[in-house]
Amino acid sequence: MLPRPSGSLLSASRKTGISLALSGNSGQPGSISLHDRLSSRSRVTNLGIVLLLGFASLSALLNLRYMIFGAHGSGQAPPPPGFASWATFHGYTPDSLKEVVPAPRNGTSNLNHLVLVPGHAVWAGCDVRQRDNDENWILEDYQRGGSVKTFFKHIEKGVQIANSDPQALVVFSGGQTRPSSLQTEAESYFSLAVAADLELPVIAGSLLESDLNGGKSSPASSSTSNSGVQGSKTTVGSLAHANAAVATRHGLQDVRMTTENFALDSFENLLFSIARFREYTGFYPERITVVGYGFKKDRFEQLHAKAVRWPTKAYVGGGGGPTFQYVGIDDEGDDIELQYKGEKVKAFSLFDKDMYGCHNALKAKRIQRNPTRRFHPYFSSAPEIADLLNWCPADMSGLQGIYPHNLPWDLRVTGSGWGRGALAVKASGKKGFLPDSRWLQIGREGH
């Protein structure tokens, strides 16, 4: 048996190995390779040092590249100030936009009912008496022969619902979808409602209401009489520029109607109108009533409402009515059965697989309906739902791809007044995460 080397000899041997590893002296006959030296049991520490130096160098290079080229090198703009990444972007409205937006109009603080009237075409007539004439509309071929009468019935019904509920706001929704007109579907519906001299809902206590009542404000009433110029009352439309595609009238900003000018399909009609309600009033609705084609009812209730996780079977507390209703009005004639069958085969089946309309055929349709390249503003004006607005699950995911995170209209926790989503954010301890108390369903937006 060979004698065990002494401590001094063993120490000298280790120092020699380390010096050889660092000097890379592998040219001598019988020398051990650098890899073998570093990976031997007594040199593991040296290997770790080399690996750490390698990782540190790589990290430094990547950070240097990011500082030089920024996030634009990945095809995405950097996140807003104060946010580490787009994944943490919630509830942010740029100050430059806040500073030029006035406070919500007096009298809107009690509004909680969104009455949505989706647009289907553009009214372009100059004489409201010819509203049933196809030539006064910008239509698709399949809409000719009677659909325009139904469009006006939708407008009329939405206005009637708002007249019966002083807490309702009518939102006409539809973007600039036709290359032959720069007017939006929503704006044309609004103008037609005014020019047709319908009994329009007015904000209670507003100057327009006082004007319509002969200079006397009537807070208990929120709509006008349909008596034209008879007596002491006049309608909004009776003094409007009726012989124009764009109706004008002093005080229209006090009518309880507004437009949502960016939606390109039925899903966006619903989601964007919720965002527009928040943009207009400063808070989110508690109730939604949709007035549209009867054959689209299942699409809205079973698909669109589920996609935005809006409760369809609940009721607003205090006898406020159901949280979701759909009022269906179809075309007259023998083609209605074909419309119902076509809905199930075409639009419903597409949204059933792609509930957010962000893939393939539904995405292509949005592109086709946006000839003037419009961008909606709701990432800034409804910042609490920024992630929902940008949500696009995998194609064909259906119900499995429904947005899973917190939303302002999540059911409240009993007795607290806070939504489940707001409580989750509060529990996380993040400060400055919520822009105002409206997401918490407490109080009103301060201005």
Side-chain angles (χ1 to χ4, degrees):
M1 178 178 294
L2 294 176
R4 181 181 181 87
S6 65
S8 58
L9 290 176
L10 182 61
S11 175
S13 173
R14 287 177 179 170
K15 290 180 180 178
T16 304
I18 294 173
S19 61
L20 287 173
L22 294 176
S23 64
N25 187 15
S26 59
Q28 298 178 4
S31 63
I32 302 174
S33 68
L34 177 62
H35 175 271
D36 290 340
R37 292 186 187 126
L38 291 176
S39 60
S40 64
R41 187 171 61 182
S42 62
R43 277 83 178 180
V44 171
T45 302
N46 298 338
L47 177 61
I49 292 174
V50 173
L51 291 176
L52 287 174
L53 289 173
F55 284 128
S57 300
L58 178 61
S59 177
L61 289 174
L62 291 175
N63 288 331
L64 181 61
R65 178 184 181 276
Y66 184 86
M67 287 187 291
I68 296 175
F69 298 103
H72 295 284
S74 61
Q76 186 180 43
F83 295 90
S85 67
W86 280 105
T88 60
F89 170 61
H90 301 270
Y92 179 81
T93 302
D95 291 337
S96 60
L97 295 182
K98 290 180 181 178
E99 292 170 356
V100 296
V101 176
R105 300 198 67 76
N106 291 334
T108 63
S109 60
N110 70 322
L111 301 182
N112 66 4
H113 184 186
L114 163 61
V115 179
L116 165 59
V117 181
H120 299 284
V122 175
W123 155 254
C126 291
D127 186 351
V128 70
R129 293 170 297 182
Q130 296 296 317
R131 62 176 178 264
D132 292 343
N133 188 337
D134 285 353
E135 300 307 313
N136 290 317
W137 292 78
I138 301 175
L139 304 169
E140 301 289 354
D141 290 339
Y142 68 86
Q143 294 176 319
R144 296 185 176 275
S147 290
V148 297
K149 294 181 180 180
T150 309
F151 301 160
F152 186 74
K153 290 178 182 178
H154 294 166
I155 295 171
E156 195 172 31
K157 186 63 177 178
V159 169
Q160 289 173 358
I161 293 172
N163 275 327
S164 65
D165 181 4
Q167 294 182 305
L169 173 70
V170 179
V171 176
F172 298 112
S173 173
Q176 197 178 83
T177 59
R178 310 302 166 97
S180 55
S181 174
L182 296 184
Q183 191 175 22
T184 68
E185 294 174 359
E187 290 168 342
S188 74
Y189 273 40
F190 187 103
S191 290
L192 183 54
V194 175
D197 198 13
L198 296 177
E199 184 179 352
L200 301 182
V202 177
I203 297 174
S206 65
L207 293 176
L208 178 57
E209 186 194 44
S210 176
D211 179 30
L212 296 172
N213 285 281
K216 297 179 180 179
S217 179
S218 177
S221 172
S222 59
S223 63
T224 68
S225 168
N226 200 28
S227 59
V229 294
Q230 299 176 5
S232 61
K233 284 189 175 182
T234 59
T235 62
V236 175
S238 64
L239 298 179
H241 240 176
N243 294 322
V246 180
T248 61
R249 206 270 191 205
H250 176 69
L252 279 184
Q253 70 271 25
D254 286 327
V255 174
R256 273 192 292 116
M257 305 190 315
T258 187
T259 61
E260 187 291 302
N261 294 317
F262 297 92
L264 302 173
D265 58 29
S266 55
F267 171 72
E268 291 189 343
N269 285 142
L270 178 60
L271 178 58
F272 287 6
S273 292
I274 294 173
R276 173 56 181 155
F277 191 100
R278 193 265 191 254
E279 186 178 63
Y280 181 86
T281 66
F283 54 96
Y284 292 97
E286 297 178 12
R287 299 178 55 197
I288 297 177
T289 298
V290 182
V291 181
Y293 274 105
F295 63 82
K296 293 185 178 183
K297 180 179 180 181
D298 288 349
R299 191 199 307 183
F300 274 87
E301 286 188 345
Q302 299 178 22
L303 299 178
H304 297 341
K306 286 184 178 179
V308 301
R309 298 216 323 269
W310 189 269
T312 58
K313 304 296 183 183
Y315 285 81
V316 176
T323 55
F324 189 88
Q325 284 184 299
Y326 192 96
V327 179
I329 303 174
D330 291 316
D331 292 342
E332 299 175 357
D334 299 330
D335 294 337
I336 188 63
E337 186 175 350
L338 293 176
Q339 289 179 330
Y340 275 80
K341 289 182 178 178
E343 164 69 10
K344 287 294 184 183
V345 173
K346 296 179 181 178
F348 186 94
S349 62
L350 289 174
F351 275 110
D352 189 30
K353 300 179 182 68
D354 179 15
M355 297 186 72
Y356 297 85
C358 54
H359 297 286
N360 302 325
L362 293 175
K363 178 181 177 181
K365 185 175 291 186
R366 286 180 183 169
I367 295 173
Q368 181 185 5
R369 289 178 175 176
N370 192 15
T372 53
R373 302 189 74 245
R374 294 293 180 181
F375 291 77
H376 72 75
Y378 306 122
F379 285 107
S380 294
S381 60
E384 302 87 352
I385 60 172
D387 287 342
L388 175 61
L389 290 162
N390 199 41
W391 183 253
C392 183
D395 190 19
M396 305 292 287
S397 58
L399 290 171
Q400 302 301 316
I402 287 181
Y403 181 77
H405 305 298
N406 302 324
L407 287 170
W409 46 88
D410 285 346
L411 293 176
R412 297 185 186 187
V413 176
T414 303
S416 73
W418 291 57
R420 289 183 301 189
L423 283 174
V425 174
K426 180 184 178 185
S428 71
K430 295 181 179 179
K431 297 181 178 179
F433 192 71
L434 302 176
D436 61 59
S437 62
R438 196 58 55 88
W439 199 11
L440 310 181
Q441 301 296 322
I442 296 176
R444 295 290 178 179
E445 186 177 49
H447 286 276

